[in-house]
Amino acid sequence: MSARIFPTAQDAEHAFYEALERCDLEGMMAVWSEDDEIVCVHPAGARLTGQDQVRESWARIFAAGPRARLSIEQQVAISGMMLAVHSVYERFIIPEAKPEAQPAPIVATNVYLRTAAGWRMIVHHASPAPAQPQATPHESGPKILH
Amino acid sequence: MSARIFPTAQDAEHAFYEALERCDLEGMMAVWSEDDEIVCVHPAGARLTGQDQVRESWARIFAAGPRARLSIEQQVAISGMMLAVHSVYERFIIPEAKPEAQPAPIVATNVYLRTAAGWRMIVHHASPAPAQPQATPHESGPKILH
């Protein structure tokens, strides 16, 4: 589907959120594993599995075009040889909206798999979080298991 | 905290849901990694990190005692050497309630880490799903990466 190679899970995550901010469907799907064993849960949504469901959902979400800037915050990263798990807060910032009218943050769990073609996303689980996330006491660097 | 050893991620998952159904706080915390790099998102909740926040949240949830049976359905499992990721639907069934009054299903992403003391949970991300989950076309067995 794409010749893009992500040497690290972090590279894949950057590309994922860049595509999400730009509403770039091809850029988005280039991040996902080409395997059909992929899982995507959009905020308040059902679980989607497989390339077709995941691609169709992003096409629908992106149809309106970019409307917000996106800030990724408070990452917790757990990295193995083959799998990496990142937990982040996604904050969508609508430039023309007042602070109190900004959307609630989203908490996301992202799982990446090391494939023959570099690191790819296999799970994205996003859900709305309360407006004021609790402080995370552990702002240490990523945990490497190997 | 506990001498329980879970030889597989699936064993840890069984113990997790058994503790959840029984509102068994010690059984629940025996499943979690003793590492402070743990992440828990309850349905519609903020992200909790670390042993203290996670334990305190389960204590609060369990305070009312068991009220529902729990059915775990449509598991998708991706397993590496050190990390395993399971996606499931959690269905809470209140025995005295009518079918139309049953709670909406929950979709959960569970991540397990192979530690020196067996497999332990490191991430639980749960969020409410629409009442009718879409059929998953891929009901194959777990994917083993190694």
Side-chain angles (χ1 to χ4, degrees):
Chain A
M1 184 177 293
S2 162
R4 286 193 73 176
I5 301 279
F6 304 108
T8 70
Q10 194 66 60
D11 295 327
E13 184 145 289
H14 283 146
F16 174 82
Y17 283 116
E18 195 175 80
L20 179 51
E21 188 174 56
R22 293 185 185 179
C23 294
D24 169 6
L25 182 59
E26 296 311 318
M28 167 58 72
M29 294 313 297
V31 177
W32 284 86
S33 167
E34 295 183 28
D35 200 309
D36 250 1
E37 285 272 335
I38 56 177
V39 170
C40 184
V41 181
H42 295 295
R47 184 179 72 179
L48 308 174
T49 55
Q51 283 282 332
D52 292 349
Q53 288 188 5
V54 172
R55 184 185 185 90
E56 189 274 331
S57 72
W58 288 114
R60 202 160 5 94
I61 289 166
F62 290 169
R67 289 168 305 166
R69 282 187 296 114
L70 179 55
S71 171
I72 303 305
E73 300 173 2
Q74 300 180 56
Q75 187 193 64
V76 175
I78 300 148
S79 303
M81 284 288 284
M82 296 297 291
L83 289 169
V85 182
H86 294 183
S87 167
V88 296
Y89 273 102
E90 306 171 353
R91 281 185 186 277
F92 289 90
I93 301 145
I94 300 176
E96 62 270 24
K98 291 181 181 170
E100 62 271 22
Q102 296 293 341
I106 301 289
V107 59
T109 300
N110 298 322
V111 183
Y112 303 91
L113 170 68
R114 194 178 69 177
T115 74
W119 287 83
R120 295 292 184 94
M121 176 171 271
I122 53 168
V123 176
H124 172 67
H125 185 161
S127 59
Q132 291 297 321
Q134 300 188 20
T136 49
H138 310 291
E139 291 287 358
S140 54
K143 179 176 183 178
I144 308 293
L145 302 176
H146 55 98
Chain B
M1 181 178 294
S2 161
R4 286 194 74 178
I5 300 280
F6 305 108
T8 69
Q10 193 66 60
D11 295 327
E13 184 146 289
H14 282 146
F16 175 81
Y17 283 116
E18 195 175 79
L20 179 52
E21 188 174 56
R22 294 183 184 179
C23 292
D24 169 6
L25 182 60
E26 296 311 317
M28 167 60 72
M29 294 314 296
V31 177
W32 284 86
S33 167
E34 295 182 29
D35 200 308
D36 250 0
E37 284 272 336
I38 58 177
V39 170
C40 185
V41 181
H42 295 296
R47 185 178 74 179
L48 308 173
T49 55
Q51 284 282 331
D52 292 350
Q53 287 188 6
V54 172
R55 185 185 184 90
E56 189 272 331
S57 72
W58 289 114
R60 202 158 9 91
I61 289 167
F62 290 169
R67 289 169 303 166
R69 283 186 296 114
L70 179 54
S71 170
I72 302 305
E73 301 172 2
Q74 301 181 55
Q75 187 193 64
V76 175
I78 300 148
S79 304
M81 285 288 285
M82 296 297 290
L83 289 169
V85 182
H86 294 183
S87 168
V88 296
Y89 273 101
E90 306 171 352
R91 280 185 186 279
F92 290 91
I93 300 145
I94 301 176
E96 62 270 25
K98 292 181 180 168
E100 62 272 22
Q102 296 294 341
I106 302 287
V107 60
T109 300
N110 299 321
V111 183
Y112 303 91
L113 171 68
R114 193 177 70 176
T115 74
W119 287 84
R120 296 291 185 95
M121 178 172 269
I122 54 168
V123 176
H124 173 67
H125 185 161
S127 59
Q132 292 298 321
Q134 301 189 20
T136 50
H138 310 290
E139 291 286 359
S140 53
K143 179 176 181 177
I144 307 294
L145 303 176
H146 56 97

